[in-house]
Amino acid sequence: MFRTSFAIVLASLAGSAMAQEGNATMGQHIAEEYCASCHMVDPGGPFKQEPPSFAAIAVYRSAEQIRQRIVTPIHTTMPRYAEYMIGGNIDDMVAYIASLED
């Protein structure tokens, strides 16, 4: 009984720690301020590859893939990246980009 209860508590704690939900509106503000000089960040924006538009990223990447590209970008030339990709800002950006799939 104790073992089962302990396992349930651990599972619920792990799930709540991993399931951080971002604020898409905040993500949009971050994108407009820091990302729009290179990426097309607007909802319904045209698809492009270099650099990819956020609309294209939303269609072709899962939320977890988006998160991984934000945490570990494939190039290091993104300006001021370290200034805004901290803490909850990552969750906000994932929420915003993922919202563009609709």
Side-chain angles (χ1 to χ4, degrees):
M1 177 70 174
F2 175 75
R3 184 175 276 163
T4 304
S5 298
F6 185 70
I8 291 170
V9 168
L10 283 178
S12 68
L13 289 174
S16 65
M18 291 171 37
Q20 303 263 335
E21 190 161 324
N23 180 320
T25 302
M26 287 301 299
Q28 182 175 9
H29 293 302
I30 294 166
E32 289 169 348
E33 183 173 348
Y34 293 100
C35 309
S37 61
C38 297
H39 294 272
M40 299 190 84
V41 300
D42 297 326
F47 282 28
K48 65 180 214 139
Q49 291 184 330
E50 294 298 325
S53 67
F54 280 16
I57 293 169
V59 169
Y60 293 109
R61 304 256 184 243
S62 69
E64 185 53 36
Q65 290 170 327
I66 294 168
R67 174 178 300 289
Q68 287 304 316
R69 288 289 174 99
I70 291 171
V71 172
T72 310
I74 59 174
H75 58 86
T76 58
T77 59
M78 290 192 287
R80 300 170 57 195
Y81 181 79
E83 290 181 30
Y84 60 92
M85 280 302 124
I86 57 173
N89 290 350
I90 294 171
D91 296 327
D92 297 341
M93 288 294 293
V94 171
Y96 174 63
I97 295 170
S99 77
L100 299 177
E101 184 177 13
D102 299 334

Short mmCIF file of all heavy atoms in Angstrom, two decimals, residues 7-71:
data_model
loop_
_atom_site.label_atom_id
_atom_site.label_comp_id
_atom_site.label_asym_id
_atom_site.label_seq_id
_atom_site.Cartn_x
_atom_site.Cartn_y
_atom_site.Cartn_z
N ALA A 7 4.47 5.78 -5.20
CA ALA A 7 4.63 5.83 -6.66
C ALA A 7 3.67 6.83 -7.28
O ALA A 7 4.02 7.56 -8.21
CB ALA A 7 4.44 4.44 -7.26
N ILE A 8 2.46 6.88 -6.79
CA ILE A 8 1.46 7.83 -7.31
C ILE A 8 1.89 9.26 -7.03
O ILE A 8 1.81 10.14 -7.90
CB ILE A 8 0.06 7.53 -6.72
CG1 ILE A 8 -0.45 6.20 -7.26
CG2 ILE A 8 -0.91 8.67 -7.01
CD1 ILE A 8 -1.70 5.69 -6.58
N VAL A 9 2.39 9.52 -5.82
CA VAL A 9 2.86 10.86 -5.48
C VAL A 9 4.03 11.26 -6.37
O VAL A 9 4.07 12.37 -6.90
CB VAL A 9 3.24 10.94 -3.98
CG1 VAL A 9 3.99 12.23 -3.67
CG2 VAL A 9 2.01 10.81 -3.10
N LEU A 10 4.99 10.37 -6.56
CA LEU A 10 6.13 10.67 -7.42
C LEU A 10 5.70 10.96 -8.85
O LEU A 10 6.18 11.89 -9.48
CB LEU A 10 7.14 9.52 -7.40
CG LEU A 10 8.03 9.43 -6.18
CD1 LEU A 10 8.95 8.22 -6.29
CD2 LEU A 10 8.83 10.69 -5.97
N ALA A 11 4.78 10.16 -9.36
CA ALA A 11 4.30 10.36 -10.74
C ALA A 11 3.61 11.70 -10.89
O ALA A 11 3.80 12.41 -11.88
CB ALA A 11 3.37 9.23 -11.14
N SER A 12 2.82 12.09 -9.92
CA SER A 12 2.12 13.37 -10.02
C SER A 12 3.08 14.55 -9.92
O SER A 12 2.93 15.55 -10.61
CB SER A 12 1.01 13.48 -8.97
OG SER A 12 1.58 13.55 -7.67
N LEU A 13 4.11 14.43 -9.06
CA LEU A 13 5.10 15.49 -8.96
C LEU A 13 5.90 15.63 -10.24
O LEU A 13 6.15 16.74 -10.72
CB LEU A 13 6.05 15.23 -7.79
CG LEU A 13 5.46 15.41 -6.39
CD1 LEU A 13 6.47 14.98 -5.34
CD2 LEU A 13 5.01 16.84 -6.17
N ALA A 14 6.30 14.53 -10.83
CA ALA A 14 7.06 14.56 -12.07
C ALA A 14 6.23 15.16 -13.19
O ALA A 14 6.71 15.97 -13.98
CB ALA A 14 7.53 13.16 -12.45
N GLY A 15 4.97 14.80 -13.27
CA GLY A 15 4.10 15.33 -14.32
C GLY A 15 3.89 16.81 -14.19
O GLY A 15 3.93 17.55 -15.17
N SER A 16 3.70 17.31 -12.96
CA SER A 16 3.47 18.74 -12.79
C SER A 16 4.73 19.54 -13.06
O SER A 16 4.67 20.66 -13.55
CB SER A 16 2.93 19.04 -11.38
OG SER A 16 3.90 18.70 -10.41
N ALA A 17 5.89 18.98 -12.78
CA ALA A 17 7.14 19.68 -13.05
C ALA A 17 7.41 19.77 -14.54
O ALA A 17 7.97 20.75 -15.03
CB ALA A 17 8.30 18.97 -12.35
N MET A 18 7.02 18.75 -15.30
CA MET A 18 7.29 18.73 -16.72
C MET A 18 6.24 19.49 -17.53
O MET A 18 6.52 19.97 -18.62
CB MET A 18 7.37 17.29 -17.23
CG MET A 18 8.59 16.56 -16.70
SD MET A 18 8.63 14.80 -17.04
CE MET A 18 7.95 14.66 -18.65
N ALA A 19 5.03 19.60 -17.02
CA ALA A 19 3.94 20.18 -17.79
C ALA A 19 3.78 21.67 -17.48
O ALA A 19 2.77 22.10 -17.00
CB ALA A 19 2.64 19.43 -17.48
N GLN A 20 4.79 22.45 -17.74
CA GLN A 20 4.73 23.89 -17.56
C GLN A 20 4.00 24.48 -18.76
O GLN A 20 4.40 24.22 -19.89
CB GLN A 20 6.14 24.45 -17.48
CG GLN A 20 6.98 23.85 -16.40
CD GLN A 20 7.00 24.70 -15.16
OE1 GLN A 20 6.80 25.90 -15.23
NE2 GLN A 20 7.23 24.08 -14.04
N GLU A 21 3.01 25.25 -18.51
CA GLU A 21 2.27 25.84 -19.61
C GLU A 21 2.66 27.30 -19.75
O GLU A 21 2.64 28.05 -18.78
CB GLU A 21 0.77 25.72 -19.37
CG GLU A 21 -0.02 26.10 -20.58
CD GLU A 21 -1.43 25.55 -20.53
OE1 GLU A 21 -1.61 24.45 -20.02
OE2 GLU A 21 -2.32 26.25 -21.00
N GLY A 22 3.03 27.66 -20.95
CA GLY A 22 3.47 29.03 -21.19
C GLY A 22 2.32 29.95 -21.55
O GLY A 22 1.21 29.52 -21.82
N ASN A 23 2.63 31.22 -21.58
CA ASN A 23 1.67 32.25 -21.92
C ASN A 23 1.96 32.69 -23.36
O ASN A 23 2.98 33.34 -23.63
CB ASN A 23 1.84 33.42 -20.94
CG ASN A 23 0.90 34.56 -21.20
OD1 ASN A 23 0.65 34.93 -22.34
ND2 ASN A 23 0.40 35.13 -20.13
N ALA A 24 1.08 32.33 -24.27
CA ALA A 24 1.30 32.61 -25.69
C ALA A 24 1.37 34.11 -25.97
O ALA A 24 2.14 34.54 -26.84
CB ALA A 24 0.21 31.96 -26.54
N THR A 25 0.62 34.92 -25.24
CA THR A 25 0.66 36.37 -25.44
C THR A 25 2.03 36.93 -25.08
O THR A 25 2.59 37.75 -25.81
CB THR A 25 -0.44 37.06 -24.61
OG1 THR A 25 -1.71 36.53 -25.01
CG2 THR A 25 -0.43 38.56 -24.82
N MET A 26 2.58 36.46 -23.97
CA MET A 26 3.93 36.88 -23.59
C MET A 26 4.94 36.40 -24.63
O MET A 26 5.86 37.13 -24.99
CB MET A 26 4.30 36.35 -22.21
CG MET A 26 3.60 37.06 -21.07
SD MET A 26 3.94 38.83 -21.02
CE MET A 26 5.71 38.82 -20.78
N GLY A 27 4.76 35.16 -25.11
CA GLY A 27 5.65 34.63 -26.14
C GLY A 27 5.61 35.48 -27.40
O GLY A 27 6.65 35.71 -28.04
N GLN A 28 4.44 35.96 -27.76
CA GLN A 28 4.32 36.82 -28.94
C GLN A 28 5.08 38.13 -28.73
O GLN A 28 5.78 38.60 -29.63
CB GLN A 28 2.86 37.11 -29.27
CG GLN A 28 2.70 37.96 -30.52
CD GLN A 28 1.24 38.16 -30.92
OE1 GLN A 28 0.32 37.80 -30.19
NE2 GLN A 28 1.05 38.71 -32.09
N HIS A 29 4.96 38.71 -27.54
CA HIS A 29 5.68 39.96 -27.25
C HIS A 29 7.19 39.75 -27.32
O HIS A 29 7.91 40.58 -27.87
CB HIS A 29 5.29 40.51 -25.89
CG HIS A 29 3.88 40.99 -25.81
ND1 HIS A 29 3.36 41.96 -26.63
CD2 HIS A 29 2.87 40.61 -25.00
CE1 HIS A 29 2.10 42.17 -26.34
NE2 HIS A 29 1.77 41.36 -25.35
N ILE A 30 7.66 38.63 -26.78
CA ILE A 30 9.10 38.32 -26.83
C ILE A 30 9.53 38.15 -28.28
O ILE A 30 10.56 38.69 -28.70
CB ILE A 30 9.41 37.04 -26.02
CG1 ILE A 30 9.15 37.29 -24.53
CG2 ILE A 30 10.85 36.59 -26.25
CD1 ILE A 30 9.11 36.02 -23.70
N ALA A 31 8.72 37.42 -29.06
CA ALA A 31 9.05 37.18 -30.47
C ALA A 31 9.12 38.50 -31.26
O ALA A 31 10.02 38.71 -32.06
CB ALA A 31 8.03 36.24 -31.10
N GLU A 32 8.15 39.37 -31.02
CA GLU A 32 8.12 40.65 -31.73
C GLU A 32 9.32 41.52 -31.37
O GLU A 32 9.88 42.20 -32.23
CB GLU A 32 6.81 41.38 -31.45
CG GLU A 32 5.62 40.72 -32.11
CD GLU A 32 4.27 41.25 -31.64
OE1 GLU A 32 4.22 41.99 -30.61
OE2 GLU A 32 3.26 40.91 -32.27
N GLU A 33 9.73 41.47 -30.11
CA GLU A 33 10.84 42.31 -29.68
C GLU A 33 12.20 41.75 -30.08
O GLU A 33 13.08 42.49 -30.50
CB GLU A 33 10.80 42.50 -28.17
CG GLU A 33 11.89 43.43 -27.66
CD GLU A 33 11.77 43.75 -26.19
OE1 GLU A 33 10.73 43.47 -25.58
OE2 GLU A 33 12.74 44.30 -25.65
N TYR A 34 12.38 40.44 -29.93
CA TYR A 34 13.71 39.87 -30.08
C TYR A 34 13.93 39.03 -31.35
O TYR A 34 15.07 38.82 -31.74
CB TYR A 34 14.04 38.98 -28.88
CG TYR A 34 14.18 39.74 -27.60
CD1 TYR A 34 13.14 39.78 -26.68
CD2 TYR A 34 15.34 40.43 -27.29
CE1 TYR A 34 13.27 40.47 -25.49
CE2 TYR A 34 15.48 41.13 -26.11
CZ TYR A 34 14.44 41.15 -25.21
OH TYR A 34 14.57 41.84 -24.04
N CYS A 35 12.86 38.54 -31.95
CA CYS A 35 13.03 37.57 -33.04
C CYS A 35 12.65 38.11 -34.42
O CYS A 35 13.08 37.58 -35.44
CB CYS A 35 12.21 36.31 -32.76
SG CYS A 35 12.49 35.60 -31.13
N ALA A 36 11.79 39.14 -34.44
CA ALA A 36 11.21 39.60 -35.70
C ALA A 36 12.22 40.25 -36.65
O ALA A 36 11.93 40.39 -37.84
CB ALA A 36 10.06 40.57 -35.42
N SER A 37 13.39 40.61 -36.17
CA SER A 37 14.37 41.20 -37.08
C SER A 37 14.89 40.16 -38.08
O SER A 37 15.36 40.53 -39.15
CB SER A 37 15.53 41.82 -36.30
OG SER A 37 16.20 40.85 -35.54
N CYS A 38 14.78 38.88 -37.75
CA CYS A 38 15.21 37.82 -38.67
C CYS A 38 14.07 36.89 -39.08
O CYS A 38 13.93 36.56 -40.24
CB CYS A 38 16.32 36.98 -38.03
SG CYS A 38 17.83 37.90 -37.69
N HIS A 39 13.27 36.46 -38.10
CA HIS A 39 12.19 35.51 -38.36
C HIS A 39 10.88 36.25 -38.63
O HIS A 39 10.64 37.31 -38.07
CB HIS A 39 11.96 34.61 -37.13
CG HIS A 39 13.08 33.69 -36.82
ND1 HIS A 39 13.18 32.44 -37.38
CD2 HIS A 39 14.13 33.83 -35.98
CE1 HIS A 39 14.26 31.84 -36.90
NE2 HIS A 39 14.87 32.66 -36.05
N MET A 40 10.03 35.66 -39.44
CA MET A 40 8.66 36.14 -39.58
C MET A 40 7.89 35.53 -38.41
O MET A 40 7.82 34.30 -38.31
CB MET A 40 8.08 35.74 -40.91
CG MET A 40 8.87 36.32 -42.08
SD MET A 40 8.04 36.09 -43.65
CE MET A 40 6.97 37.51 -43.59
N VAL A 41 7.37 36.34 -37.52
CA VAL A 41 6.77 35.84 -36.29
C VAL A 41 5.26 36.00 -36.24
O VAL A 41 4.61 35.53 -35.31
CB VAL A 41 7.40 36.52 -35.05
CG1 VAL A 41 8.88 36.25 -34.99
CG2 VAL A 41 7.11 38.01 -35.01
N ASP A 42 4.67 36.64 -37.24
CA ASP A 42 3.24 36.93 -37.22
C ASP A 42 2.39 35.69 -37.48
O ASP A 42 2.77 34.82 -38.26
CB ASP A 42 2.88 37.97 -38.29
CG ASP A 42 3.56 39.30 -38.03
OD1 ASP A 42 3.74 39.65 -36.85
OD2 ASP A 42 3.92 39.97 -39.01
N PRO A 43 1.21 35.64 -36.83
CA PRO A 43 0.27 34.56 -37.16
C PRO A 43 -0.12 34.64 -38.63
O PRO A 43 -0.30 35.73 -39.17
CB PRO A 43 -0.94 34.85 -36.27
CG PRO A 43 -0.45 35.77 -35.21
CD PRO A 43 0.70 36.54 -35.82
N GLY A 44 -0.21 33.52 -39.28
CA GLY A 44 -0.61 33.50 -40.68
C GLY A 44 0.45 34.01 -41.64
O GLY A 44 0.18 34.22 -42.81
N GLY A 45 1.66 34.21 -41.13
CA GLY A 45 2.73 34.68 -41.99
C GLY A 45 3.12 33.63 -43.01
O GLY A 45 2.86 32.44 -42.82
N PRO A 46 3.71 34.06 -44.12
CA PRO A 46 4.10 33.10 -45.15
C PRO A 46 5.22 32.17 -44.66
O PRO A 46 6.02 32.55 -43.82
CB PRO A 46 4.60 33.99 -46.29
CG PRO A 46 5.02 35.26 -45.62
CD PRO A 46 4.12 35.41 -44.43
N PHE A 47 5.22 30.97 -45.20
CA PHE A 47 6.26 30.01 -44.85
C PHE A 47 7.56 30.42 -45.53
O PHE A 47 7.56 30.84 -46.67
CB PHE A 47 5.88 28.62 -45.33
CG PHE A 47 4.88 27.93 -44.45
CD1 PHE A 47 3.96 28.62 -43.69
CD2 PHE A 47 4.88 26.55 -44.36
CE1 PHE A 47 3.05 27.98 -42.90
CE2 PHE A 47 3.96 25.89 -43.55
CZ PHE A 47 3.05 26.60 -42.82
N LYS A 48 8.65 30.30 -44.83
CA LYS A 48 9.97 30.47 -45.43
C LYS A 48 10.94 29.64 -44.62
O LYS A 48 10.66 29.28 -43.48
CB LYS A 48 10.38 31.93 -45.53
CG LYS A 48 10.57 32.64 -44.23
CD LYS A 48 10.98 34.07 -44.47
CE LYS A 48 11.93 34.49 -43.37
NZ LYS A 48 13.03 35.26 -43.73
N GLN A 49 12.08 29.32 -45.19
CA GLN A 49 13.00 28.40 -44.55
C GLN A 49 14.20 29.06 -43.91
O GLN A 49 14.71 28.56 -42.92
CB GLN A 49 13.47 27.35 -45.55
CG GLN A 49 12.37 26.40 -45.95
CD GLN A 49 12.90 25.32 -46.87
OE1 GLN A 49 13.85 25.52 -47.61
NE2 GLN A 49 12.28 24.16 -46.81
N GLU A 50 14.73 30.09 -44.46
CA GLU A 50 15.99 30.65 -43.97
C GLU A 50 15.85 32.11 -43.57
O GLU A 50 15.85 32.96 -44.45
CB GLU A 50 17.08 30.49 -45.02
CG GLU A 50 17.46 29.07 -45.30
CD GLU A 50 18.03 28.33 -44.10
OE1 GLU A 50 18.74 28.95 -43.28
OE2 GLU A 50 17.75 27.14 -43.96
N PRO A 51 15.78 32.43 -42.34
CA PRO A 51 15.44 31.54 -41.23
C PRO A 51 13.96 31.20 -41.30
O PRO A 51 13.18 31.94 -41.91
CB PRO A 51 15.77 32.37 -39.99
CG PRO A 51 15.57 33.79 -40.41
CD PRO A 51 15.96 33.83 -41.88
N PRO A 52 13.57 30.11 -40.68
CA PRO A 52 12.17 29.68 -40.81
C PRO A 52 11.20 30.66 -40.14
O PRO A 52 11.53 31.28 -39.14
CB PRO A 52 12.16 28.33 -40.09
CG PRO A 52 13.31 28.37 -39.16
CD PRO A 52 14.35 29.23 -39.83
N SER A 53 10.05 30.79 -40.76
CA SER A 53 9.00 31.59 -40.13
C SER A 53 8.44 30.79 -38.95
O SER A 53 8.49 29.56 -38.93
CB SER A 53 7.89 31.90 -41.13
OG SER A 53 7.20 30.71 -41.49
N PHE A 54 7.90 31.48 -37.98
CA PHE A 54 7.33 30.79 -36.83
C PHE A 54 6.11 29.95 -37.24
O PHE A 54 5.85 28.92 -36.66
CB PHE A 54 6.97 31.78 -35.74
CG PHE A 54 8.15 32.23 -34.91
CD1 PHE A 54 9.45 32.03 -35.33
CD2 PHE A 54 7.96 32.86 -33.70
CE1 PHE A 54 10.54 32.43 -34.56
CE2 PHE A 54 9.03 33.25 -32.92
CZ PHE A 54 10.32 33.04 -33.35
N ALA A 55 5.38 30.40 -38.29
CA ALA A 55 4.24 29.61 -38.77
C ALA A 55 4.71 28.27 -39.32
O ALA A 55 4.09 27.23 -39.09
CB ALA A 55 3.47 30.39 -39.83
N ALA A 56 5.81 28.27 -40.05
CA ALA A 56 6.35 27.02 -40.60
C ALA A 56 6.85 26.12 -39.48
O ALA A 56 6.64 24.91 -39.49
CB ALA A 56 7.48 27.31 -41.58
N ILE A 57 7.51 26.71 -38.50
CA ILE A 57 7.99 25.92 -37.36
C ILE A 57 6.82 25.25 -36.66
O ILE A 57 6.89 24.07 -36.31
CB ILE A 57 8.78 26.81 -36.38
CG1 ILE A 57 10.08 27.30 -37.03
CG2 ILE A 57 9.07 26.07 -35.08
CD1 ILE A 57 10.78 28.39 -36.24
N ALA A 58 5.73 25.98 -36.48
CA ALA A 58 4.57 25.44 -35.78
C ALA A 58 3.98 24.23 -36.50
O ALA A 58 3.53 23.28 -35.87
CB ALA A 58 3.50 26.52 -35.63
N VAL A 59 3.97 24.27 -37.82
CA VAL A 59 3.38 23.18 -38.60
C VAL A 59 4.28 21.96 -38.63
O VAL A 59 3.82 20.83 -38.54
CB VAL A 59 3.06 23.67 -40.04
CG1 VAL A 59 2.69 22.51 -40.95
CG2 VAL A 59 1.93 24.69 -40.00
N TYR A 60 5.58 22.17 -38.73
CA TYR A 60 6.50 21.05 -38.95
C TYR A 60 7.20 20.54 -37.70
O TYR A 60 7.93 19.55 -37.79
CB TYR A 60 7.54 21.43 -40.01
CG TYR A 60 6.90 21.61 -41.36
CD1 TYR A 60 6.77 22.86 -41.93
CD2 TYR A 60 6.40 20.51 -42.05
CE1 TYR A 60 6.17 23.02 -43.17
CE2 TYR A 60 5.80 20.66 -43.29
CZ TYR A 60 5.69 21.92 -43.85
OH TYR A 60 5.09 22.07 -45.05
N ARG A 61 7.03 21.17 -36.56
CA ARG A 61 7.69 20.73 -35.34
C ARG A 61 6.67 20.55 -34.21
O ARG A 61 5.73 21.32 -34.09
CB ARG A 61 8.73 21.75 -34.88
CG ARG A 61 9.76 22.08 -35.90
CD ARG A 61 11.06 21.40 -35.56
NE ARG A 61 12.11 21.78 -36.49
CZ ARG A 61 12.71 20.91 -37.28
NH1 ARG A 61 12.40 19.65 -37.26
NH2 ARG A 61 13.65 21.31 -38.11
N SER A 62 6.91 19.53 -33.38
CA SER A 62 6.09 19.34 -32.18
C SER A 62 6.52 20.36 -31.13
O SER A 62 7.59 20.99 -31.24
CB SER A 62 6.29 17.93 -31.63
OG SER A 62 7.60 17.79 -31.09
N ALA A 63 5.71 20.51 -30.09
CA ALA A 63 6.06 21.43 -29.01
C ALA A 63 7.40 21.04 -28.39
O ALA A 63 8.22 21.91 -28.08
CB ALA A 63 4.95 21.47 -27.96
N GLU A 64 7.65 19.76 -28.22
CA GLU A 64 8.91 19.31 -27.64
C GLU A 64 10.09 19.63 -28.57
O GLU A 64 11.16 20.04 -28.12
CB GLU A 64 8.88 17.83 -27.32
CG GLU A 64 10.12 17.33 -26.60
CD GLU A 64 10.48 18.12 -25.34
OE1 GLU A 64 9.58 18.56 -24.61
OE2 GLU A 64 11.69 18.30 -25.09
N GLN A 65 9.90 19.47 -29.87
CA GLN A 65 10.96 19.82 -30.82
C GLN A 65 11.23 21.32 -30.82
O GLN A 65 12.37 21.76 -30.90
CB GLN A 65 10.59 19.35 -32.23
CG GLN A 65 10.62 17.85 -32.39
CD GLN A 65 10.03 17.41 -33.73
OE1 GLN A 65 9.11 18.04 -34.26
NE2 GLN A 65 10.57 16.33 -34.28
N ILE A 66 10.17 22.11 -30.72
CA ILE A 66 10.32 23.56 -30.63
C ILE A 66 11.13 23.92 -29.39
O ILE A 66 12.07 24.70 -29.44
CB ILE A 66 8.95 24.27 -30.62
CG1 ILE A 66 8.23 24.07 -31.96
CG2 ILE A 66 9.09 25.75 -30.29
CD1 ILE A 66 6.77 24.47 -31.96
N ARG A 67 10.76 23.32 -28.26
CA ARG A 67 11.47 23.56 -27.01
C ARG A 67 12.96 23.22 -27.16
O ARG A 67 13.83 24.00 -26.75
CB ARG A 67 10.86 22.75 -25.87
CG ARG A 67 11.63 22.83 -24.56
CD ARG A 67 10.96 22.06 -23.45
NE ARG A 67 9.62 22.56 -23.19
CZ ARG A 67 9.34 23.72 -22.62
NH1 ARG A 67 10.32 24.49 -22.21
NH2 ARG A 67 8.10 24.11 -22.44
N GLN A 68 13.26 22.08 -27.75
CA GLN A 68 14.65 21.66 -27.90
C GLN A 68 15.44 22.64 -28.77
O GLN A 68 16.60 22.92 -28.49
CB GLN A 68 14.73 20.24 -28.48
CG GLN A 68 14.35 19.17 -27.49
CD GLN A 68 15.17 19.24 -26.21
OE1 GLN A 68 16.38 19.40 -26.23
NE2 GLN A 68 14.50 19.12 -25.09
N ARG A 69 14.82 23.16 -29.83
CA ARG A 69 15.51 24.12 -30.70
C ARG A 69 15.73 25.45 -29.99
O ARG A 69 16.70 26.15 -30.27
CB ARG A 69 14.73 24.35 -32.00
CG ARG A 69 14.78 23.18 -32.94
CD ARG A 69 16.18 23.05 -33.55
NE ARG A 69 16.31 21.87 -34.35
CZ ARG A 69 16.21 21.83 -35.67
NH1 ARG A 69 15.98 22.92 -36.35
NH2 ARG A 69 16.35 20.68 -36.30
N ILE A 70 14.83 25.80 -29.07
CA ILE A 70 15.01 27.03 -28.30
C ILE A 70 16.12 26.84 -27.27
O ILE A 70 17.01 27.68 -27.14
CB ILE A 70 13.69 27.45 -27.62
CG1 ILE A 70 12.68 27.91 -28.66
CG2 ILE A 70 13.95 28.56 -26.59
CD1 ILE A 70 11.29 28.15 -28.12
N VAL A 71 16.08 25.72 -26.57
CA VAL A 71 17.07 25.45 -25.53
C VAL A 71 18.45 25.25 -26.14
O VAL A 71 19.46 25.73 -25.63
CB VAL A 71 16.65 24.23 -24.68
CG1 VAL A 71 17.75 23.80 -23.73
CG2 VAL A 71 15.37 24.54 -23.91
#
